[in-house]
Amino acid sequence: MEEKEEIIEEQKWYSIGCMSPQKELKVRDDARMYGLEAFVPLSYVVKTKKGQKYRALVPALSRLLFVKGTLEEIKTYIQQAQFMLFIRKSTFSNKEDYLTVPTKAMEDFIAITEHREEHVTYFRPEEISLQQGDKIRIKGGLYDGREGVIMRIKGKRNKHLVVQIPGLLVAAVEITPEIVQPSNSAFNEKPSKDIDKDKKLLLEIAQRLLFEIPDKYQQENEYYLLLSELRRCRERLKKFKGYTAATEAELALPMYLAAVKLDEGVPEAESRLRNAIDRLKDSSKLKALCKELLEKTKAR
């Protein structure tokens, strides 16, 4: 009897509404404890208590946060959560079309705004025109590889890097001009001239980013430099396939690990790796390594 191919549901960033007032941060922490990625944009405001003014860090968007997972994982979490939550739906399509944020856009937004609340200015989409200015990519430093729009904000002295959660929120962060470069939709990497060297490099970087760098160090410069190199190396290897079972597995394994880390094209990369594993002999050390790392990513 022919087995049905397992369909792997894609993880996405979902826009989650919170009906419990001023509970956004508690929901974020609860979702993280549950095992999901969660993010709440924060900003400083001036409040007054007993006649004394003080600065407080509060959600930039009231009653809204972003959670990453499969749709089934998100629904299961909401059902058991102690808070009143719902997945926001698009106002421009049918009622089953949930509001999601592209992974790259959310990654850039988080990387540029998180832990930088002192320096971030938030706008609603209608308050700022992103058609102005030039699209750029940051080169080097903490935000290496991140993309946005560089423009001058009214009332601000210097130019800012502008990133957005499409349709919901825009953030502007002052940026140093010498670390930006024009941006295209992808890295302009030419096909690898040394496949063996690049596939070994990609495997090394992917394993380090996935399994060796603790979460608390993932805001360090080294982490973002490695992430940038991972993207470039992956781009150089995209067009290649192995002619033998071993050479294909040697390519498929690092390409799968990179896809997992970047959260881009994971189902296709996993299917390719599994097909490569099936072609290897059971006694192959490479087959054992592929299976080990595949299971390790599933256990993360």
Side-chain angles (χ1 to χ4, degrees):
M1 185 176 179
E2 187 176 336
E3 293 185 3
K4 292 184 178 179
E5 186 176 348
E6 182 181 357
I7 299 176
I8 302 173
E9 190 178 354
E10 183 182 357
Q11 289 192 329
K12 297 180 180 179
W13 280 99
Y14 287 86
S15 175
I16 306 298
C18 177
M19 292 186 282
S20 305
Q22 301 178 352
K23 293 291 190 295
E24 299 91 347
L25 295 180
K26 289 187 176 181
V27 175
R28 179 200 64 186
D29 295 342
D30 186 61
R32 289 175 175 176
M33 289 293 292
Y34 184 79
L36 300 170
E37 289 187 59
F39 174 66
V40 175
L42 299 174
S43 63
Y44 279 102
V45 298
V46 177
K47 291 188 174 183
T48 302
K49 185 176 183 179
K50 295 182 179 179
Q52 296 293 319
K53 291 185 178 181
Y54 67 98
R55 298 172 74 239
L57 198 57
V58 301
L61 287 172
S62 178
R63 302 191 183 190
L64 180 68
L65 66 152
F66 302 91
V67 179
K68 184 182 181 183
T70 66
L71 182 56
E72 188 62 33
E73 288 172 339
I74 303 293
K75 287 182 175 180
T76 301
Y77 167 67
I78 288 177
Q79 287 174 356
Q80 63 83 53
Q82 59 181 310
F83 308 96
M84 297 179 65
L85 308 172
F86 62 95
I87 307 176
R88 292 187 55 173
K89 294 177 180 177
S90 173
T91 56
F92 300 103
S93 57
N94 65 69
K95 62 181 180 180
E96 293 303 320
D97 189 5
Y98 292 107
L99 191 59
T100 61
V101 180
T103 297
K104 182 65 170 64
M106 183 58 80
E107 284 182 351
D108 286 344
F109 193 92
I110 292 174
I112 291 170
T113 61
E114 196 170 34
H115 310 306
R116 293 270 296 175
E117 293 87 359
E118 291 271 4
H119 308 283
V120 180
T121 303
Y122 286 104
F123 301 90
R124 294 188 179 278
E126 63 270 17
E127 293 177 316
I128 191 168
S129 173
L130 292 185
Q131 277 67 49
Q132 299 176 20
D134 300 318
K135 289 186 178 180
I136 59 92
R137 180 187 297 118
I138 300 176
K139 183 179 180 181
L142 182 61
Y143 304 132
D144 184 65
R146 299 297 170 183
E147 298 179 358
V149 174
I150 190 166
M151 59 190 301
R152 194 174 297 280
I153 305 296
K154 186 177 181 180
K156 303 289 183 180
R157 184 173 182 177
N158 297 318
K159 289 186 177 180
H160 284 64
L161 174 68
V162 178
V163 290
Q164 67 170 324
I165 298 176
L168 293 171
L169 190 64
V170 178
V173 185
E174 187 173 320
I175 196 70
T176 307
E178 62 267 23
I179 64 169
V180 303
Q181 64 181 23
S183 169
N184 296 314
S185 59
F187 287 101
N188 292 320
E189 293 291 321
K190 295 180 180 180
S192 176
K193 293 182 179 179
D194 191 336
I195 299 174
D196 286 338
K197 179 181 177 181
D198 274 340
K199 68 186 180 185
K200 289 177 183 177
L201 177 62
L202 186 61
L203 180 62
E204 178 186 338
I205 295 175
Q207 288 189 88
R208 190 171 178 190
L209 287 169
L210 282 169
F211 310 123
E212 297 174 15
I213 299 181
D215 290 346
K216 67 178 181 179
Y217 295 118
Q218 291 191 6
Q219 296 299 325
E220 300 293 331
N221 287 4
E222 181 190 8
Y223 175 80
Y224 286 108
L225 290 172
L226 284 172
L227 197 62
S228 176
E229 184 56 33
L230 182 80
R231 288 184 180 277
R232 292 187 171 93
C233 193
R234 180 192 183 212
E235 193 69 24
R236 293 196 293 271
L237 292 171
K238 266 188 174 180
K239 295 183 178 181
F240 295 98
K241 299 283 184 183
Y243 289 104
T244 67
T247 56
E248 172 61 5
E250 288 172 350
L251 273 168
L253 177 59
M255 291 296 282
Y256 164 72
L257 295 178
V260 171
K261 180 59 194 176
L262 298 172
D263 192 21
E264 296 174 1
V266 177
E268 297 83 359
E270 180 175 343
S271 177
R272 177 185 179 183
L273 177 58
R274 290 186 183 278
N275 288 336
I277 290 173
D278 289 342
R279 293 174 58 195
L280 293 169
K281 294 180 179 179
D282 291 337
S283 59
S284 167
K285 291 183 179 179
L286 178 57
K287 185 169 188 172
L289 176 63
C290 289
K291 284 186 172 181
E292 177 190 344
L293 293 179
L294 182 60
E295 292 173 2
K296 198 171 180 180
T297 60
K298 296 297 183 182
R300 287 176 73 242

